[in-house]
């Protein structure tokens, strides 16, 4: 009985984020964000300092500058202050979050929650405190703040409360520099020009990094801009990675040959030196 | 200077890796062990994903055992038939070890299993070695003392399929070496080690092999088992990072040469006690991690359930 209740609870929890996601693709209706409207009063014109990043052998993180201007046909509306939020999101991937508990005197992983898709990297830069410039509703619709960046759960939910798990995951990734929230990271000049700097960490995974720019007034979305930065391994990195995945036996033999040669050469060289 | 590792997908300082390889090489030169039991936990510690650390550790063991075997072959200190029997067991063990490894990874218990293996085996062997070393030292102080007869007749000698191992001067069943080989193969695959620190005591105490052929024969077996383990990991999981392995090997061979010169100045018993203490420290640290309240109860792993 309790188990059945838990199952229902779990299903609800699993369905919630999915629900929020599907709402986004519904056709525009009154009250919805005006992204689908052809010509908003204010429009974003933006650029990226670079549209691709190559991971080379000496790759040690990278800087990305996202900049732009706000195009207006009419004078600025009064009252509500203008705000800009810029997000940068790495490729999505499944993640398993595990919790330890004490069993027979030692700490063992006993509970786990699977997230079907969580970004490998997610940074949010805002022009002001998030709670002042973004309404909860817009946040949920556009999935802007870090906790909303995670997508649906995967597999059956076996724990009573999954929130501590996802919170722990965000904390761990924040410590690793993979999730970042920079309040005040977007600089706006004269309510027209804006820029945001992102420092990408060295432990980057390849894929398309989606960048989104949100123009907001009074917590509501005025315009949205999307682009992507391609992050790819290049040169030797590309070659080794492809070989390891596409021709694993050959790669394995290559690693062995290298090890055998190094072992033999080391012995030979030191014998010669002596 | 940072280097981005293509398979591990992390960026690490080159000198950290060379130094790590160097320290492990130094120890292996000093004590005559592969050093796999140290390198895998140290790789975990600098942030290499466990599956990559284990697979790449096996590749590094290949390099260090090649130079070892070459030196031992020259001294005619390798019992090749015995090595082949141990090898057959080792390959069986390694194949099942990889299966267990993948199963435990899927269950989320691989870290625990690896840690438990380390604590139990390292702790046990460290204590045995320490006891043995202290006993030898005491004996030397007393001066001489009658040596124990090496060949003892136990249940081992009643098993069928007997075979003559000339280099070892043994006439025993192939079953015990086969079992020893299998156990070492399983552990090698799970722990990412060569298994020398388990096989050497097993060969001396269980199989009664003479000490002079033990190291060469165990290196011979380890070479092929770790080569097989590397291949299996490369094919089934794509977790061998050749760039990481190469840096560790370069550091390792340099360290090994320095270590073997340093080792020539120390007494064998002193070395054995030092190694025993080192092994006990590693086991103790890992054991404490299991028992003490972890800093973070949660951990994350990429990939679904």
């Amino acid at each position: 009985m309790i188990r059945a209740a838990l199952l229902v609870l779990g299903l609800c929890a699993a369905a919630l984020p999915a629900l929020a996601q599907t709402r986004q693709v519904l056709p525009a209706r009154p009250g919805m964000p005006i992204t689908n409207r052809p010509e908003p009063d204010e429009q974003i014109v933006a650029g990226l300092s670079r549209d691709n990043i190559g991971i080379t052998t000496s790759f040690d993180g990278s800087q990305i500058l996202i900049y732009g201007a706000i195009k207006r046909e009419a004078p600025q509306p009064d009252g509500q202050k203008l705000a800009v939020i810029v997000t940068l999101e790495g490729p999505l991937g499944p993640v398993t979050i595990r919790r330890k508990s004490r069993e027979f005197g030692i700490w063992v992983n006993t509970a786990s929650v699977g997230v079907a898709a969580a970004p490998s990297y997610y940074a949010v830069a805002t022009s002001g405190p998030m709670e002042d410039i973004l309404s909860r509703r817009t946040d949920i619709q556009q999935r802007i703040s870090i906790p909303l960046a995670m997508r649906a759960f995967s597999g059956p939910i076996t724990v009573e409360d999954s929130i501590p798990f996802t919170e722990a995951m965000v904390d761990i990734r924040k410590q690793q520099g993979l999730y970042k929230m920079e309040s005040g990271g977007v600089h706006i000049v004269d309510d027209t020009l804006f820029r945001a700097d992102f420092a990408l960490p060295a432990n980057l995974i390849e894929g398309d990094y989606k960048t989104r720019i949100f123009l907001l007034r009074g917590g509501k979305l005025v315009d949205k801009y999307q682009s992507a930065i391609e992050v790819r391994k290049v040169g030797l990195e590309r070659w080794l990675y492809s070989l390891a995945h596409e021709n694993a036996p050959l790669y394995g033999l290559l690693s062995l040959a290298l090890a055998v040669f190094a072992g033999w050469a080391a012995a030979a060289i030191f014998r010669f030196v002596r | 200077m940072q280097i981005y590792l293509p398979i591990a997908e992390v960026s690490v300082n080159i000198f950290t890796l060379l130094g790590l390889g160097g320290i492990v090489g130094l120890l292996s030169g000093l004590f005559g062990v592969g050093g796999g039991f140290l390198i895998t936990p140290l790789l975990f510690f600098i942030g290499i994903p466990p599956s990559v650390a284990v697979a790449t550790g096996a590749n590094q063991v290949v390099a260090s055992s090649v130079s070892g075997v070459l030196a031992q072959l020259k001294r005619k200190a390798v019992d090749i038939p015995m090595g082949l029997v141990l090898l057959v067991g080792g390959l069986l063990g390694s194949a099942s070890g990889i299966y267990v490894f993948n199963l435990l990874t899927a269950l989320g218990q691989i870290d625990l299993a690896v840690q438990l293996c380390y604590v139990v085996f390292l702790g046990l062997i460290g204590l045995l070695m320490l006891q043995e070393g202290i006993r030898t030292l005491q004996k030397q102080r007393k001066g001489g003392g009658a040596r124990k007869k090496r060949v003892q007749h136990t249940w081992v000698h009643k098993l069928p399929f007997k075979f003559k191992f000339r280099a070892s001067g043994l006439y025993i069943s192939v079953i015990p070496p086969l079992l020893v080989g299998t156990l070492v193969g399983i552990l090698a695959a799970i722990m990412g080690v060569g298994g020398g620190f388990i096989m050497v005591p097993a060969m001396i105490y269980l199989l009664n092999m003479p000490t002079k052929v033990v190291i060469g024969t165990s290196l011979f077996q380890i070479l092929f088992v770790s080569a097989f383990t590397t291949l299996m990991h490369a094919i089934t999981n794509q977790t061998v990072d050749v760039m990481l392995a190469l840096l560790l090997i370069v550091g390792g061979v340099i360290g090994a040469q320095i270590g073997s010169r340093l080792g020539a100045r120390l007494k064998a018993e002193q070395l054995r006690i030092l190694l025993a203490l080192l092994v006990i420290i590693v086991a103790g640290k890992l054991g404490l991690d299991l028992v003490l309240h972890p800093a973070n109860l949660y951990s994350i792993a990429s990939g679904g359930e």
Side-chain angles (χ1 to χ4, degrees):
Chain A
M1 193 59 211
I2 294 168
R3 183 175 283 187
L6 276 178
L7 193 75
V8 170
L9 224 133
L11 277 174
C12 291
L16 266 173
L19 217 107
Q21 203 178 10
T22 47
R23 272 183 63 182
Q24 248 181 302
V25 293
L26 286 175
R29 49 194 164 91
M32 282 293 283
I34 41 185
T35 38
N36 296 328
R37 230 165 71 181
E39 280 289 302
D41 299 334
E42 293 175 297
Q43 269 182 293
I44 301 168
V45 187
L48 309 170
S49 60
R50 53 202 298 190
D51 60 5
N52 68 77
I53 295 173
I55 299 182
T56 56
T57 311
S58 57
F59 182 74
D60 187 18
S62 185
Q63 296 286 332
I64 285 281
L65 165 65
I66 297 169
Y67 57 93
I70 295 145
K71 194 170 107 185
R72 287 190 194 92
E73 300 296 337
Q76 236 190 110
D78 304 328
Q80 289 159 335
K81 209 176 147 13
L82 177 96
V84 173
I85 298 179
V86 182
T87 67
L88 187 57
E89 182 182 320
L92 299 170
V95 173
T96 306
I97 310 149
R98 302 197 170 92
R99 185 172 61 195
K100 286 191 171 72
S101 65
R102 197 170 212 148
E103 300 286 331
F104 309 109
I106 58 171
W107 291 89
V108 187
N109 287 328
T110 44
S112 68
V113 166
V115 176
S120 58
Y121 172 87
Y122 192 67
V124 185
T126 64
S127 62
M130 189 89 128
E131 56 278 12
D132 297 349
I133 59 172
L134 181 70
S135 71
R136 178 79 192 139
R137 195 186 146 94
T138 313
D139 190 13
I140 289 170
Q141 280 163 354
Q142 300 294 332
R143 296 181 159 269
I144 297 173
S145 59
I146 293 176
L148 294 173
M150 264 172 285
R151 306 296 195 266
F153 292 102
S154 67
I157 303 275
T158 49
V159 292
E160 281 180 49
D161 185 6
S162 65
I163 292 166
F165 285 80
T166 48
E167 278 176 351
M169 176 189 143
V170 169
D171 283 345
I172 292 171
R173 292 220 156 149
K174 271 185 178 165
Q175 277 167 19
Q176 294 171 335
L178 291 172
Y179 285 6
K180 262 181 262 184
M181 169 68 221
E182 279 177 64
S183 194
V186 179
H187 303 278
I188 304 181
V189 183
D190 287 340
D191 280 351
T192 313
L193 299 173
F194 65 88
R195 66 173 284 170
D197 290 282
F198 290 92
L200 294 171
N203 49 345
L204 219 53
I205 284 170
E206 67 174 353
D208 286 333
Y209 284 63
K210 194 168 86 179
T211 151
R212 297 180 298 169
I213 304 170
F214 300 98
L215 183 63
L216 305 148
R217 269 192 194 277
K220 290 205 180 96
L221 192 68
V222 179
D223 192 23
K224 184 178 159 185
Y225 173 92
Q226 269 200 39
S227 184
I229 301 164
E230 201 186 358
V231 176
R232 289 280 177 272
K233 292 189 179 93
V234 293
L236 183 63
E237 299 280 335
R238 172 88 262 145
W239 187 76
L240 286 175
Y241 183 84
S242 310
L243 188 66
H245 284 88
E246 283 152 26
N247 203 340
L250 184 67
Y251 176 87
L253 289 174
L254 178 83
S255 327
L256 281 185
L258 216 63
V260 170
F261 174 76
W264 170 82
I269 288 170
F270 277 93
R271 211 180 303 128
F272 180 75
V273 169
R274 228 174 272 173
Chain B
M1 207 165 87
Q2 297 287 119
I3 185 164
Y4 187 91
L5 303 171
I7 306 298
E9 298 194 304
V10 286
S11 174
V12 197
N13 192 306
I14 286 187
F15 300 108
T16 309
L17 293 180
L18 286 176
L20 215 66
I23 291 169
V24 173
L26 187 81
L27 293 171
S28 77
L30 208 53
F31 301 121
V33 294
F37 73 94
L38 278 173
I39 208 147
T40 315
L42 284 173
L43 288 178
F44 289 174
F45 185 73
I46 62 165
I48 306 290
S51 54
V52 176
V54 168
T56 310
N59 197 18
Q60 191 262 349
V61 171
V62 173
S64 61
S65 49
V66 165
S67 21
V69 165
L70 288 177
Q72 298 286 345
L73 272 176
K74 217 159 255 169
R75 272 177 239 163
K76 296 207 166 31
V78 184
D79 185 342
I80 292 177
M82 176 62 89
L84 288 174
V85 173
L86 287 167
L87 181 58
V88 170
L91 295 183
L92 289 175
S94 179
S96 38
I98 297 252
Y99 174 77
V100 174
F101 184 86
N102 291 342
L103 193 76
L104 286 170
T105 308
L107 287 174
Q109 302 298 352
I110 187 64
D111 296 351
L112 176 72
V114 170
Q115 272 183 324
L116 274 179
C117 280
Y118 271 103
V119 172
V120 171
F121 288 101
L122 285 184
L124 215 67
I125 284 152
L127 287 175
L128 278 175
M129 271 172 32
L130 188 67
Q131 190 199 16
E132 179 95 9
I134 290 172
R135 201 185 292 155
T136 329
L137 267 189
Q138 283 172 341
K139 245 184 218 164
Q140 277 177 344
R141 260 177 220 154
K142 280 179 197 160
R147 287 219 165 184
K148 224 168 48 175
K149 217 177 99 191
R150 193 170 57 82
V151 179
Q152 289 160 310
H153 276 264
T154 53
W155 57 271
V156 171
H157 295 264
K158 288 177 190 139
L159 294 167
F161 309 114
K162 283 197 171 187
F163 190 83
K164 201 164 253 164
F165 296 100
R166 262 173 220 289
S168 308
L170 285 177
Y171 181 60
I172 55 161
S173 158
V174 294
I175 294 171
L178 214 56
L179 287 179
V180 168
T182 309
L183 177 71
V184 172
I186 293 175
L187 290 174
I190 296 176
M191 297 162 75
V193 296
F197 69 96
I198 299 164
M199 193 151 46
V200 169
M203 286 159 105
I204 296 175
Y205 299 112
L206 285 176
L207 306 179
N208 282 323
M209 280 172 69
T211 322
K212 68 172 168 46
V213 294
V214 161
I215 293 188
T217 310
S218 92
L219 278 175
F220 175 85
Q221 194 264 7
I222 287 166
L223 169 60
F224 289 100
V225 173
S226 53
F228 178 71
T229 309
T230 308
L231 258 187
M232 288 299 286
H233 274 299
I235 292 170
T236 59
N237 308 322
Q238 284 95 39
T239 43
V240 177
D241 197 310
V242 74
M243 202 113 78
L244 175 62
L246 199 64
L247 285 168
L248 293 175
I249 290 167
V250 169
V253 294
I254 297 169
Q257 297 297 330
I258 299 170
S260 61
R261 269 164 218 199
L262 218 67
R265 294 191 195 157
L266 288 166
K267 276 189 200 150
E269 284 71 34
Q270 291 172 333
L271 277 178
R272 198 184 294 178
I273 291 177
L274 279 179
L275 177 61
L277 289 176
L278 179 79
V279 166
I280 292 171
I281 289 169
V282 174
K285 163 79 177 73
L286 290 170
L288 273 182
D289 287 348
L290 284 179
V291 180
L292 293 181
H293 193 289
N296 193 349
L297 284 180
Y298 294 90
S299 63
I300 58 175
S302 328
E305 300 244 305

